[in-house]
Amino acid sequence: MGSLFKQIYRYTRPRAFRHNENLWPWAKITRAQTGEIRSLKYKGIAVPLAGLSDLKNRYQGDVLLTATGPSTKKMDFSVVPETMPVMGVNGAYVLQGQVRYSLYIVIDMEFFDSKPETITAVISNPDIVFFTTLHGVAKIYDRHPQNEILCQIALIEDACCRIYQGKITDDAKWQAFKDNDTVSFDEKNSNICFTTDIRNGIFDAGTVVYWALQVLYFLGFNRILISGLDMNNFHQPRFYESEHTQLPSYLENKVENIVFPAFSLASRVLEQHGVYVFNLSQESAVPELIFKKVKLHVLFKE
């Protein structure tokens, strides 16, 4: 039946709407005036959502963002204050116990399929606000009964592939967003964007950390401390993997042309708004001109 609906969807809509084909007609949404998805029914089930407008500027001060580079193994998280909010990405949840997660983000559908045990652990934690896309929500509700989903779900979208709207190509980004004062562009590449209002979607740059930076600014944090942001040695397992469980990385060919320019844009926009990012990975390939490198224990001494 799903295949039939997919074919109907394909033949009744332009190609630019193809990214929605696995959701129709199962997902029914309404949007708020501010742009975000306000309500969701998936396969007839009302999905409780943490409203993005309610989350705007809810926080302040410091936040720790745990990325997944191998350098994480060397990090002493015991100096992190217990009251400090922590956001995890992908497989970083194995640090639960060393840190206490209250925020989480997964946008990679391959991760949902390859690491279901991590997704199960995250969604069963009632202390977590879990940021994911509607495709992620669909996977959660297809695989878990409602009584297992204890986290709050905050629904986010790719700004160029919003639900039931046409895809915006790279060539069309400038025209589509140039009049939006919450969107900033890279000076050399108008395909690279950063938004300060995630209610109208988040811009991708090949890494979930870039999504996280846009989310964390929106939430109101003043300082973002990132562990595991190595951006090198892509042949090595992530800190939570072994050689036998390692998932492929698609970042190596994107680092110089996409990821670093995007991080540079993020750094500039964030500093303009009084938000500063510190890179806790001393081995990181991300230039210090983008994110200043600081040791975790030194940062808290200061």
Side-chain angles (χ1 to χ4, degrees):
M1 183 62 73
S3 178
L4 174 62
F5 283 135
K6 185 184 294 187
Q7 293 301 316
I8 293 172
Y9 187 89
R10 285 189 176 188
Y11 288 115
T12 56
R13 287 160 179 83
R15 178 173 289 274
F17 289 75
R18 185 68 59 85
H19 59 280
N20 301 300
E21 66 184 13
N22 291 322
L23 298 174
W24 184 88
W26 313 117
K28 301 184 184 302
I29 64 171
T30 64
R31 291 189 179 273
Q33 290 185 344
T34 43
E36 75 272 24
I37 293 174
R38 177 177 57 192
S39 67
L40 166 65
K41 278 191 174 182
Y42 181 68
K43 294 184 176 179
I45 298 172
V47 177
L49 299 177
L52 295 185
S53 291
D54 295 331
L55 292 171
K56 182 175 172 59
N57 294 325
R58 175 181 288 188
Y59 300 86
Q60 59 181 348
D62 294 345
V63 62
L64 173 64
L65 172 61
T66 56
T68 57
S71 68
T72 305
K73 292 181 178 180
K74 303 176 184 178
M75 197 70 56
D76 178 11
F77 292 105
S78 66
V79 300
V80 176
E82 290 186 6
T83 57
M84 187 166 128
V86 183
M87 172 179 271
V89 309
N90 298 343
Y93 198 77
V94 299
L95 295 173
Q96 176 77 350
Q98 296 184 59
V99 296
R100 183 179 299 173
Y101 287 110
S102 56
L103 303 165
Y104 220 87
I105 180 169
V106 179
I107 57 167
D108 182 356
M109 296 305 105
E110 184 177 358
F111 186 87
F112 273 89
D113 296 337
S114 301
K115 301 291 184 180
E117 68 282 358
T118 301
I119 299 299
T120 298
V122 172
I123 66 170
S124 64
N125 187 334
D127 297 327
I128 283 179
V129 180
F130 184 29
F131 292 83
T132 191
T133 64
L134 185 42
H135 290 86
V137 174
K139 287 182 179 291
I140 291 170
Y141 272 77
D142 282 341
R143 298 168 181 176
H144 298 271
Q146 284 180 273
N147 62 359
E148 291 183 1
I149 306 169
L150 303 181
C151 69
Q152 295 183 70
I153 293 176
L155 190 54
I156 52 178
E157 303 174 87
D158 186 321
C160 296
C161 297
R162 299 180 74 192
I163 302 304
Y164 299 148
Q165 297 182 14
K167 181 178 180 178
I168 299 172
T169 64
D170 283 346
D171 293 339
K173 278 184 182 178
W174 170 257
Q175 193 63 36
F177 299 108
K178 64 183 177 65
D179 296 324
N180 188 329
D181 59 7
T182 68
V183 176
S184 299
F185 293 85
D186 178 66
E187 295 176 353
K188 296 180 180 179
N189 186 349
S190 61
N191 294 337
I192 297 174
C193 311
F194 186 94
T195 184
T196 55
D197 190 343
I198 65 172
R199 291 175 294 189
N200 289 303
I202 296 173
F203 291 99
D204 184 48
T207 169
V208 65
V209 170
Y210 196 63
W211 285 64
L213 290 173
Q214 293 166 82
V215 171
L216 293 174
Y217 170 81
F218 182 81
L219 295 180
F221 291 105
N222 308 110
R223 293 202 307 179
I224 301 170
L225 322 178
I226 311 180
S227 67
L229 187 66
D230 296 354
M231 289 293 157
N232 51 24
N233 298 321
F234 295 105
H235 63 285
Q236 294 183 8
R238 300 163 184 87
F239 83 87
Y240 60 88
E241 296 175 324
S242 68
E243 291 183 1
H244 302 293
T245 62
Q246 183 178 358
L247 295 176
S249 172
Y250 306 103
L251 275 176
E252 188 166 7
N253 296 328
K254 299 178 181 179
V255 166
E256 295 293 336
N257 294 330
I258 298 176
V259 177
F260 286 174
F263 282 166
S264 182
L265 173 64
S267 179
R268 175 171 61 83
V269 174
L270 291 170
E271 287 191 16
Q272 288 174 349
H273 289 83
V275 179
Y276 297 90
V277 179
F278 294 93
N279 187 356
L280 303 177
S281 172
Q282 305 306 302
E283 299 92 349
S284 177
V286 181
E288 280 213 67
L289 288 174
I290 297 177
F291 299 142
K292 181 180 179 181
K293 290 182 181 178
V294 180
K295 294 182 179 179
L296 188 58
H297 70 278
V298 172
L299 192 64
F300 283 106
K301 277 185 179 179
E302 295 176 351

